[in-house]
Amino acid sequence: MYRLILFVILLFIISCQKDDNIVEETDNIEYEVECIWDKSPHCAFTSIVKYNNKYYCCFREAESHIPNKSENYGSIRLLESTNGERWISVGLVKDIEYDLRDPYFSVTPDNKLMLICGSSSLGSDNILSFCHTRAYIYTPDIINSSDIKHHIISINNDDKYYSYWVWKIKWHKNIA
């Protein structure tokens, strides 16, 4: 009984202490939100970057969050805007053998636009399994080209890291 009373007292003391990490709301901030794409039943996992004075947005587009068959694999939609208000589609990265997921944009040190994404496939048990990370490199003249080839990303060019999922790219001294 003594431990229970001590526990309750400690909980009361802890709950009464002021937490300096809590931000109190003092201003009402209003944001305007507009949909820039709704031509697919499932659009998610966006990335946006400013590249050569234009904005680029990419996201996964599919029938649903998890495909139930290979015909429903997701693809990566690329949008472009000069002002952040009017967006146009400039590409669709698709692979009939893989479900493309979680795209992320990065600008390389030599001023190319890099898109990375995970690619998965349905196993014999119809469960999505991770395969590898892909990278697509764009230059200003080939943003909307369907001839873009992908590269498989491996950490330190080591085969044992072949199937690691690289979520984001950060650059340090020209090394990703």
Side-chain angles (χ1 to χ4, degrees):
M1 182 69 173
Y2 178 74
R3 287 183 182 164
L4 178 62
I5 293 171
L6 182 59
F7 178 74
V8 171
I9 291 170
L10 284 173
L11 277 178
F12 179 75
I13 291 170
I14 291 169
S15 66
C16 290
Q17 290 179 342
K18 181 174 169 118
D19 186 354
D20 292 334
N21 294 327
I22 296 176
V23 177
E24 294 182 19
E25 187 176 334
T26 56
D27 295 328
N28 290 330
I29 300 173
E30 292 185 19
Y31 296 95
E32 186 175 321
V33 178
E34 290 186 31
C35 179
I36 62 172
W37 189 264
D38 64 354
K39 296 174 178 47
S40 181
H42 175 76
C43 298
F45 314 111
T46 59
S47 177
I48 191 167
V49 69
K50 189 171 186 181
Y51 172 67
N52 287 352
N53 295 317
K54 293 181 182 178
Y55 296 97
Y56 291 90
C57 179
C58 63
F59 51 90
R60 180 175 185 271
E61 161 176 288
E63 292 294 318
S64 63
H65 177 63
I66 303 290
N68 57 359
K69 54 186 175 181
S70 60
E71 294 81 32
N72 294 338
Y73 281 165
S75 51
I76 308 300
R77 175 69 60 187
L78 309 175
L79 302 181
E80 178 185 87
S81 176
T82 56
N83 59 12
E85 294 177 15
R86 185 176 171 272
W87 294 85
I88 59 168
S89 175
V90 292
L92 182 68
V93 180
K94 186 173 182 70
D95 189 319
I96 60 171
E97 295 182 29
Y98 294 98
D99 180 53
L100 303 182
R101 310 186 67 80
D102 302 297
Y104 179 77
F105 272 135
S106 177
V107 178
T108 66
D110 59 347
N111 197 39
K112 294 178 182 170
L113 186 60
M114 174 187 271
L115 166 71
I116 64 168
C117 64
S119 62
S120 303
S121 60
L122 289 171
S124 58
D125 53 1
N126 227 25
I127 294 177
L128 204 59
S129 63
F130 176 70
C131 291
H132 52 262
T133 303
R134 295 171 172 219
Y136 299 84
I137 307 293
Y138 300 89
T139 57
D141 57 326
I142 59 166
I143 295 280
N144 58 357
S145 170
S146 60
D147 297 330
I148 297 297
K149 303 294 183 231
H150 73 274
H151 308 274
I152 304 300
I153 292 180
S154 178
I155 300 171
N156 294 329
N157 293 321
D158 190 333
D159 286 342
K160 73 179 182 181
Y161 297 113
Y162 176 77
S163 63
Y164 275 40
W165 193 329
V166 180
W167 285 79
K168 303 253 187 275
I169 296 284
K170 298 294 180 196
W171 297 94
H172 178 70
K173 296 182 181 179
N174 295 335
I175 297 174

